[in-house]
Amino acid sequence: MKILCLILFSIALFSLLLFSDAARSDALVGGWSPIKDVKDPHVVEIANYAVTEYDKRSGAKLKLLSVVKGETQVVAGTNYRLVLETTNDSATKNYRALVLEKPWLYFRNLTSFEPLLT
């Protein structure tokens, strides 16, 4: 009986996490949806993470100026595909960053960070 209760509780908790994440992003699983407010503090936090992580990996000294646009994709977590305006004190340049976030695991990973051709 305890095992059945544990299984049912686990299913209910998983469903709650899945539906709350999907409702938050208004996205279908696997599809990309535009971010309506790129100035949202959480989006800016993800953008700052992307720039900081890129700087650590590459030795670059970029600073985030703004999030130009972005999209989210619900997967086993949330992918953020962001266009970021950055500066290195001598020039501004736009980059496309892809960050995977799993907030229930306190996990973030910078998947890619590429310069955009202007």
Side-chain angles (χ1 to χ4, degrees):
M1 186 66 170
K2 288 183 180 181
I3 294 174
L4 180 60
C5 288
L6 182 59
I7 291 170
L8 291 174
F9 176 76
S10 298
I11 291 170
L13 182 60
F14 177 75
S15 298
L16 179 64
L17 288 171
L18 180 66
F19 290 121
S20 67
D21 191 42
R24 178 181 56 83
S25 62
D26 296 329
L28 294 175
V29 174
W32 288 96
S33 296
I35 295 174
K36 294 174 184 163
D37 180 11
V38 295
K39 293 182 181 181
D40 177 275
H42 189 71
V43 174
V44 174
E45 182 180 330
I46 296 290
N48 276 311
Y49 166 80
V51 172
T52 301
E53 188 65 22
Y54 177 73
D55 286 351
K56 285 181 195 174
R57 294 179 188 182
S58 68
K61 295 185 179 181
L62 299 177
K63 291 186 173 83
L64 178 68
L65 294 176
S66 68
V67 179
V68 177
K69 65 180 178 177
E71 299 172 296
T72 59
Q73 178 188 41
V74 177
V75 289
T78 304
N79 275 322
Y80 290 84
R81 186 165 56 189
L82 305 174
V83 174
L84 308 175
E85 182 182 21
T86 67
T87 184
N88 65 359
D89 293 330
S90 63
T92 61
K93 190 169 191 176
N94 287 354
Y95 289 85
R96 177 176 288 121
L98 183 62
V99 175
L100 171 63
E101 180 183 45
K102 297 180 182 185
W104 64 94
L105 296 175
Y106 304 98
F107 173 85
R108 287 184 182 153
N109 183 55
L110 179 63
T111 306
S112 67
F113 197 92
E114 302 171 343
L116 292 178
L117 301 176
T118 53

